[in-house]
Amino acid sequence: MELLEQLCGIHAPSGNEAAMKEFILEYVSKEKKHWIVQPEIFSGEQFQDCIVLVFGKKPRTAIFAHMDSIGFTVKYGNEIVKIGGPKTQTGYKLTGSDSKGPIECEMDAPEGSKKSFYTFEREIERGTDLVFKCDFRQSKEYIQSCYMDNRLGCWNALKVAETLEEGIICFSTYEEVGGGSVGFLGKFIYEKYGIQQALISDITWITKGVKDGKGVVISMRDRGIPRRIYINQIIHLADQSGIDYQLEVEDAGGSDGLQLQAAPYPFDWCFIGAAEDNVHTPDEKVHRHDIDCMVKLYQYLMKHL
Amino acid sequence: MELLEQLCGIHAPSGNEAAMKEFILEYVSKEKKHWIVQPEIFSGEQFQDCIVLVFGKKPRTAIFAHMDSIGFTVKYGNEIVKIGGPKTQTGYKLTGSDSKGPIECEMDAPEGSKKSFYTFEREIERGTDLVFKCDFRQSKEYIQSCYMDNRLGCWNALKVAETLEEGIICFSTYEEVGGGSVGFLGKFIYEKYGIQQALISDITWITKGVKDGKGVVISMRDRGIPRRIYINQIIHLADQSGIDYQLEVEDAGGSDGLQLQAAPYPFDWCFIGAAEDNVHTPDEKVHRHDIDCMVKLYQYLMKHL
Amino acid sequence: MELLEQLCGIHAPSGNEAAMKEFILEYVSKEKKHWIVQPEIFSGEQFQDCIVLVFGKKPRTAIFAHMDSIGFTVKYGNEIVKIGGPKTQTGYKLTGSDSKGPIECEMDAPEGSKKSFYTFEREIERGTDLVFKCDFRQSKEYIQSCYMDNRLGCWNALKVAETLEEGIICFSTYEEVGGGSVGFLGKFIYEKYGIQQALISDITWITKGVKDGKGVVISMRDRGIPRRIYINQIIHLADQSGIDYQLEVEDAGGSDGLQLQAAPYPFDWCFIGAAEDNVHTPDEKVHRHDIDCMVKLYQYLMKHL
């Protein structure tokens, strides 16, 4: 889990994903010689801070994993405002940096107030973005850290890459703030490769119907409603695979799937990922078995879908 | 009204429109020999569950009719969550099916609770979608059923098809949950046929300003605001036509028009349809005269716009 | 400021921007002979009521200025509903016209009611759109009028046009109601000119962190979060320019930037504009120094970005 620990510690809130892009590009360039198929790598200004990896000659399915995390932006005075939907709590440790140097400060979220603040030895420059300080914890059964959502989704994609023969992996940006890169990524893979099938490699929630340790989650819907015919096909394959999985039905929450559905290309999408406890806090916790099943199901689906 | 009754009884909530697609494709294939012009028919994977009918060599205007209905998804325990915005009320009859067979159950919507449940003799499989049971009622003046919104919009499009010489009909999906197919449908008809004019064949609401039996409704705005120049052109033609119509002005509600406006193509759109009472219940009620005017105005506009 | 006064008085709420289009086209046709570079002018049905001006052979950056204003639509009885988010207050003067002639009426916004009404000597036709009556006021330090947002943004673009050598200016529509033209404008300039850099020429708010008279505002974020790497580049250039500027950090508010980010093209965008007091009222007030800095910073950025 060394790779996952590294990913969880990278500073990359929505809009500022450059460090994740650099890390993944370097990782791919170093590791790909061990992979079964050498992917074609697309990045650069036409892709903003996104990365597209194309494996094989006839990819049929694309994995989307968003690189950005939730976080905070320093506003005026010592107020901070949210990037996406992080939980707030007095005492949470936040990190970042401005022109005066590195920052490690604490959150102050007064009871009954909707505003949050930082406490630090000096003023932080306006517009500086802060993220949860990473405290990566492993036990026999669980892995716990900030930003399992969605560094674990990225990690899953990189694991699947090792044995992937035909398929595409898109590392996207801005997901936690409603998207903005999935449109042009979708355009690229639809127009160049005719891709219409997508899997959203992301992390979902432990709920009344989704338990930790019971396998990877296939989401039948959240706020977005994917095409049933595609979901049924995936559930059918999951049954064949013998891998532990759980079905999710929610009416809230969204993902890059919503952005794909809104884009002017006929994409089918399905959210598949492990579920976490302590959502959007520094303590997101995922069961190892669910992670294991996530990788295996992606491997199976990328072959058979 | 046999066709409308059939349409209202088809199980096709948002995301699961395949049965409507099959029904319409079959209907068109059987009936088109009676039509003035034989349309070119586009469907298949590039169109998901949508259908595009193209009449004539130089179509100028496209009709959009969404095939999906509101409904419910079975969540955990016996809870159900909404697909779109259906009204809930204890006693409403719901139908569907899962791998154990057909389902006809009842809704339980406890006073003061935001949650709804089903009551049935057995557990229904997670993720099963349920729709209102169809009770199609005709009187001398009214037609009443679930899903007049938007099976009546589809029916209108199929009626207009009979005499259509130049124009396009798009049967879209996902409308009740914010869209997802209008983008690629718009792309297709804009890029292939240069279409920029759209009419949204959908059903609106009886309100203080819109009465039953007073003619088809031309909506000047809802949450979406179409281009005034196009609306004025349509009102001008409606005046010329001599057909009964009413003007609507709302600041809530949306349609496929909103999706068209958001798409990266320069579409003008106008919502035109009969108004119903008992919106989003099993008892949607529309006046026959308004239906009659709806078909006539579409026929007139498709010729003169 | 004669041009700005003219712009503020033009009737052009969202959806009804034709009069602004005509005015700007005429202005450009008359004035462009005094400009350093003669732009290529794109307008017409493919652009709805938008205008695109292209300066030079290799434009790198596009300015977006929305032409529409907030306003009201006449509903039923004497109720009026909002176009975008105008403030309401009894006594505000509204103007417009219907088939019976010109209208100057007064707003009635009863305390504690969410509804607003007009008071006029006769009934106004359903669907008529009304805007604030323009009362253009100049003092030594301030300019005050309705619709500084965004006629000042348009004025800024036309000032920058005078000396622009390479670059694009897009006059957009529908911004106050969530957009609808930026998608196809973005498509056009991305596909034809490879443009990926945008500046949003719009007006923002005086707040705790943004003061009048302290220079033009560079917004680091609002509801939308632009790419940090692009914002940093702009701030770096602003530092070099020596022009007074202020940094803004908000978590509410949006602009054409949000629409650009949602479009399926890899656009970077940054909102840059003067700040106003009395937002979305007939009394929007902007400091002359901030206007001055706005024009200068745009001139500098269009050259160096």
Side-chain angles (χ1 to χ4, degrees):
Chain A
M1 290 296 164
E2 194 190 341
L3 173 60
L4 179 56
E5 181 168 1
Q6 285 178 304
L7 290 168
C8 287
I10 293 170
H11 182 97
S14 307
N16 200 2
E17 297 91 346
M20 271 293 284
K21 179 188 70 174
E22 293 309 325
F23 180 91
I24 290 177
L25 282 176
E26 202 172 308
Y27 175 87
V28 169
S29 129
K30 210 177 58 195
E31 294 295 324
K32 70 172 191 233
K33 60 178 175 287
H34 306 300
W35 297 356
I36 288 181
V37 167
Q38 303 301 301
E40 195 169 356
I41 302 168
F42 295 91
S43 69
E45 273 312 299
Q46 300 270 330
F47 296 88
Q48 294 193 347
D49 292 318
C50 303
I51 303 167
V52 180
L53 306 177
V54 179
F55 296 78
K57 291 286 168 226
K58 292 193 173 166
R60 299 175 310 278
T61 305
I63 298 172
F64 281 79
H66 72 86
M67 294 184 289
D68 60 310
S69 77
I70 50 177
F72 300 88
T73 315
V74 173
K75 197 177 173 185
Y76 316 134
N78 61 339
E79 190 180 346
I80 54 178
V81 290
K82 294 181 181 184
I83 298 169
K87 293 284 188 307
T88 57
Q89 189 175 299
T90 296
Y92 279 170
K93 298 269 191 302
L94 300 174
T95 65
S97 68
D98 63 12
S99 77
K100 293 173 205 139
I103 296 157
E104 184 175 327
C105 62
E106 217 165 87
M107 186 187 300
D108 177 25
E111 286 275 340
S113 168
K114 284 187 176 168
K115 293 188 176 181
S116 303
F117 306 89
Y118 68 81
T119 312
F120 193 45
E121 63 204 35
R122 62 168 174 85
E123 194 182 4
I124 302 177
E125 284 166 7
R126 192 177 286 193
T128 301
D129 48 23
L130 302 170
V131 299
F132 291 134
K133 188 187 176 188
C134 183
D135 174 17
F136 195 85
R137 288 150 280 176
Q138 299 192 54
S139 70
K140 203 178 142 217
E141 289 195 307
Y142 293 97
I143 295 180
Q144 188 167 20
S145 171
C146 61
Y147 304 139
M148 296 296 276
D149 169 7
N150 187 34
R151 302 306 158 76
L152 181 51
C154 293
W155 179 89
N156 172 63
L158 290 169
K159 282 290 142 190
V160 172
E162 297 174 1
T163 57
L164 187 57
E165 297 183 44
E166 293 201 303
I168 288 179
I169 298 175
C170 295
F171 293 99
S172 70
T173 55
Y174 307 121
E175 193 268 354
E176 298 287 1
V177 294
S181 62
V182 164
F184 64 77
L185 293 172
K187 176 175 159 59
F188 176 72
I189 63 176
Y190 178 72
E191 291 184 348
K192 192 169 166 81
Y193 300 100
I195 298 289
Q196 293 186 243
Q197 299 184 145
L199 302 176
I200 310 301
S201 176
D202 202 345
I203 303 306
T204 187
W205 313 331
I206 303 285
T207 59
K208 215 180 92 181
V210 168
K211 306 295 184 192
D212 56 311
K214 298 291 183 191
V216 61
V217 173
I218 299 172
S219 181
M220 300 185 75
R221 63 166 287 186
D222 47 29
R223 186 155 57 86
I225 298 191
R227 199 156 65 117
R228 176 55 62 108
I229 219 167
Y230 182 65
I231 302 300
N232 286 351
Q233 202 182 342
I234 284 169
I235 294 173
H236 181 70
L237 287 170
D239 283 335
Q240 284 188 341
S241 76
I243 299 159
D244 277 358
Y245 75 89
Q246 310 176 67
L247 294 176
E248 176 183 84
V249 175
E250 292 292 332
D251 53 356
S255 73
D256 274 344
L258 271 175
Q259 302 300 313
L260 263 187
Q261 188 154 328
Y265 313 99
F267 275 97
D268 280 314
W269 59 276
C270 180
F271 183 116
I272 302 178
E276 68 178 20
D277 222 339
N278 309 318
V279 174
H280 283 193
T281 74
D283 305 305
E284 297 178 352
K285 193 170 97 171
V286 182
H287 198 288
R288 284 179 186 273
H289 179 61
D290 301 335
I291 297 175
D292 197 44
C293 293
M294 184 176 180
V295 175
K296 283 185 181 145
L297 187 58
Y298 270 88
Q299 287 168 337
Y300 190 87
L301 290 173
M302 291 304 285
K303 193 163 281 179
H304 294 95
L305 195 59
Chain B
M1 290 297 164
E2 194 190 342
L3 173 60
L4 179 56
E5 181 168 1
Q6 286 178 303
L7 290 169
C8 286
I10 293 171
H11 183 97
S14 308
N16 199 2
E17 296 90 346
M20 270 292 284
K21 180 188 72 175
E22 293 309 326
F23 180 90
I24 290 177
L25 282 177
E26 201 171 312
Y27 176 86
V28 170
S29 129
K30 210 176 56 195
E31 293 296 323
K32 70 173 190 228
K33 61 178 175 287
H34 307 300
W35 297 355
I36 287 181
V37 167
Q38 303 301 301
E40 195 171 355
I41 302 168
F42 296 90
S43 69
E45 272 313 298
Q46 300 269 331
F47 296 88
Q48 294 194 347
D49 292 318
C50 302
I51 302 167
V52 179
L53 306 179
V54 179
F55 296 78
K57 290 287 168 225
K58 292 192 172 168
R60 298 175 311 279
T61 305
I63 297 172
F64 281 78
H66 72 86
M67 295 183 290
D68 60 310
S69 77
I70 51 176
F72 300 88
T73 315
V74 173
K75 198 179 173 184
Y76 315 134
N78 61 339
E79 190 182 346
I80 54 178
V81 291
K82 293 181 181 184
I83 299 170
K87 293 284 188 305
T88 57
Q89 189 174 299
T90 297
Y92 278 171
K93 298 268 191 303
L94 301 174
T95 65
S97 68
D98 63 11
S99 75
K100 292 173 207 139
I103 297 157
E104 184 175 326
C105 62
E106 217 165 88
M107 187 188 300
D108 176 27
E111 285 276 338
S113 167
K114 282 187 178 170
K115 293 188 176 181
S116 303
F117 306 90
Y118 68 81
T119 312
F120 193 44
E121 63 205 34
R122 63 169 174 85
E123 194 182 6
I124 302 177
E125 284 166 8
R126 190 177 287 193
T128 301
D129 49 23
L130 302 170
V131 299
F132 291 133
K133 187 185 176 189
C134 183
D135 174 17
F136 195 86
R137 289 150 280 176
Q138 299 192 56
S139 71
K140 201 176 145 219
E141 290 195 306
Y142 294 97
I143 296 180
Q144 189 167 20
S145 170
C146 60
Y147 303 139
M148 296 297 275
D149 168 8
N150 187 35
R151 303 305 159 75
L152 180 52
C154 294
W155 179 89
N156 173 63
L158 290 170
K159 281 291 142 190
V160 172
E162 296 174 2
T163 57
L164 188 56
E165 296 183 45
E166 294 201 303
I168 287 179
I169 298 174
C170 295
F171 293 99
S172 71
T173 56
Y174 308 123
E175 193 267 354
E176 297 287 0
V177 294
S181 62
V182 164
F184 65 76
L185 293 173
K187 176 175 158 58
F188 176 73
I189 64 176
Y190 178 72
E191 292 184 347
K192 192 169 166 81
Y193 300 100
I195 298 288
Q196 293 186 243
Q197 298 185 145
L199 301 175
I200 310 300
S201 177
D202 202 346
I203 302 308
T204 187
W205 312 332
I206 302 286
T207 60
K208 214 179 92 181
V210 168
K211 306 295 184 192
D212 56 311
K214 299 291 184 192
V216 60
V217 174
I218 299 173
S219 181
M220 299 185 76
R221 63 165 288 185
D222 46 30
R223 185 155 58 86
I225 297 190
R227 199 156 65 118
R228 176 55 62 108
I229 219 167
Y230 182 64
I231 302 300
N232 286 350
Q233 201 182 344
I234 284 169
I235 294 173
H236 180 71
L237 287 170
D239 283 334
Q240 284 189 340
S241 75
I243 298 157
D244 275 358
Y245 74 89
Q246 309 175 70
L247 294 177
E248 175 184 84
V249 176
E250 291 292 331
D251 54 356
S255 73
D256 274 344
L258 271 175
Q259 302 300 312
L260 263 187
Q261 189 154 327
Y265 312 99
F267 274 98
D268 280 315
W269 59 275
C270 179
F271 183 116
I272 301 177
E276 67 178 21
D277 221 341
N278 309 319
V279 175
H280 283 193
T281 74
D283 305 306
E284 296 177 353
K285 192 170 97 172
V286 183
H287 198 288
R288 283 179 186 273
H289 178 61
D290 301 334
I291 297 175
D292 197 44
C293 292
M294 183 176 181
V295 174
K296 283 184 183 146
L297 188 57
Y298 270 88
Q299 287 168 337
Y300 189 87
L301 290 173
M302 292 304 285
K303 192 164 280 178
H304 295 94
L305 195 60
Chain C
M1 289 296 164
E2 195 191 340
L3 173 60
L4 179 57
E5 181 168 0
Q6 287 178 303
L7 290 169
C8 287
I10 293 171
H11 183 97
S14 308
N16 199 3
E17 296 90 346
M20 270 293 282
K21 180 189 72 175
E22 293 310 325
F23 180 89
I24 290 178
L25 281 177
E26 201 170 312
Y27 176 87
V28 169
S29 129
K30 210 176 57 194
E31 294 296 323
K32 69 172 192 232
K33 61 178 173 289
H34 306 300
W35 297 355
I36 288 181
V37 167
Q38 303 302 300
E40 194 169 357
I41 302 167
F42 295 91
S43 70
E45 273 311 298
Q46 300 269 330
F47 296 87
Q48 294 193 347
D49 292 318
C50 303
I51 302 167
V52 180
L53 306 178
V54 179
F55 296 79
K57 290 287 170 225
K58 292 191 172 168
R60 299 175 310 279
T61 304
I63 297 172
F64 281 78
H66 72 86
M67 295 184 289
D68 59 310
S69 78
I70 50 177
F72 300 87
T73 315
V74 173
K75 197 178 172 185
Y76 316 134
N78 60 338
E79 190 181 347
I80 54 178
V81 290
K82 294 182 181 184
I83 298 169
K87 293 285 189 304
T88 57
Q89 190 175 297
T90 296
Y92 279 170
K93 298 269 190 303
L94 301 174
T95 65
S97 68
D98 63 10
S99 76
K100 293 173 207 139
I103 296 157
E104 184 175 326
C105 62
E106 218 165 88
M107 186 187 301
D108 176 26
E111 285 277 339
S113 167
K114 283 186 177 170
K115 294 189 174 179
S116 303
F117 306 89
Y118 69 81
T119 311
F120 193 46
E121 63 205 34
R122 62 169 175 85
E123 194 182 5
I124 302 177
E125 284 167 7
R126 190 177 288 193
T128 300
D129 48 24
L130 302 171
V131 299
F132 291 134
K133 187 186 176 190
C134 183
D135 175 17
F136 196 84
R137 288 150 280 177
Q138 300 192 54
S139 71
K140 203 178 142 217
E141 291 195 305
Y142 294 96
I143 296 179
Q144 189 166 21
S145 171
C146 60
Y147 304 138
M148 296 297 275
D149 168 9
N150 188 34
R151 302 306 159 74
L152 181 51
C154 294
W155 179 89
N156 173 62
L158 290 170
K159 281 290 143 190
V160 172
E162 296 174 2
T163 58
L164 188 56
E165 296 183 45
E166 294 201 303
I168 288 179
I169 297 174
C170 295
F171 292 99
S172 70
T173 56
Y174 307 122
E175 193 267 355
E176 297 288 1
V177 294
S181 62
V182 164
F184 65 78
L185 293 173
K187 176 175 160 58
F188 176 73
I189 63 176
Y190 177 73
E191 291 184 347
K192 190 168 167 84
Y193 300 100
I195 299 288
Q196 293 185 243
Q197 298 185 147
L199 301 175
I200 310 301
S201 177
D202 203 345
I203 303 307
T204 186
W205 312 332
I206 303 285
T207 60
K208 215 179 95 182
V210 168
K211 307 295 186 193
D212 56 311
K214 298 292 182 192
V216 61
V217 173
I218 298 172
S219 181
M220 299 185 75
R221 63 165 288 186
D222 47 28
R223 186 156 57 86
I225 298 190
R227 200 156 64 118
R228 176 56 61 107
I229 219 167
Y230 182 65
I231 302 300
N232 286 349
Q233 202 182 343
I234 284 169
I235 294 173
H236 180 70
L237 287 169
D239 283 335
Q240 284 188 342
S241 75
I243 299 158
D244 275 358
Y245 74 89
Q246 310 175 68
L247 294 176
E248 176 184 83
V249 175
E250 292 292 332
D251 54 355
S255 73
D256 274 344
L258 271 174
Q259 302 300 312
L260 262 187
Q261 188 154 326
Y265 312 99
F267 274 98
D268 280 316
W269 59 275
C270 179
F271 183 116
I272 301 177
E276 68 178 20
D277 222 341
N278 309 319
V279 174
H280 283 192
T281 73
D283 306 306
E284 297 176 353
K285 192 170 97 173
V286 182
H287 198 288
R288 284 179 186 273
H289 178 60
D290 301 334
I291 297 175
D292 197 44
C293 293
M294 183 175 180
V295 175
K296 283 184 181 145
L297 187 58
Y298 270 88
Q299 288 168 336
Y300 190 88
L301 290 173
M302 291 304 286
K303 193 163 280 179
H304 294 95
L305 195 61

